Amino acid sequence: MTGADDPRPLSFLLRTRDGQLRDTGAGGEIVGPEEFRARLQAGERLRVRHETTGADCTLDVVAQVIAVCLPAQRGLFGAPGDGTVT
């Protein structure tokens, strides 16, 4: 299921000018790459918007998380591998 049919709540994050992610539903708590990855892995629906422009930057953040977490985690979602992208 995706979109309006998905019963899971949608969490909104703001990407600040300095690149940090803030969870709008958790009192502005900062979310690091590892926590973002863990939330995705757990099946949480996440949407990221730039705080000054309001533009959707979810895919940019996912790409950044892949670049940061993939080498350190045997693959993005714990899959076997050496973390390299071919």
Side-chain angles (χ1 to χ4, degrees):
M1 266 187 251
T2 60
D5 296 336
D6 196 328
R8 299 172 297 163
L10 179 61
S11 297
F12 289 95
L13 304 168
L14 288 178
R15 186 175 199 174
T16 63
R17 282 176 256 152
D18 62 0
Q20 290 184 330
L21 297 177
R22 295 197 175 267
D23 189 334
T24 62
E29 154 186 317
I30 294 174
V31 176
E34 289 291 335
E35 181 180 345
F36 189 88
R37 180 200 56 83
R39 290 170 71 169
L40 282 177
Q41 187 177 10
E44 188 172 340
R45 294 175 59 213
L46 300 169
R47 175 79 61 211
V48 184
R49 298 237 178 242
H50 196 277
E51 76 172 337
T52 55
T53 67
D56 186 317
C57 56
T58 306
L59 293 179
D60 294 336
V61 172
V62 169
Q64 179 185 13
V65 167
I66 289 171
V68 169
C69 296
L70 191 62
Q73 293 292 328
R74 286 188 35 174
L76 181 61
F77 295 106
D82 62 4
T84 59
V85 178
T86 57

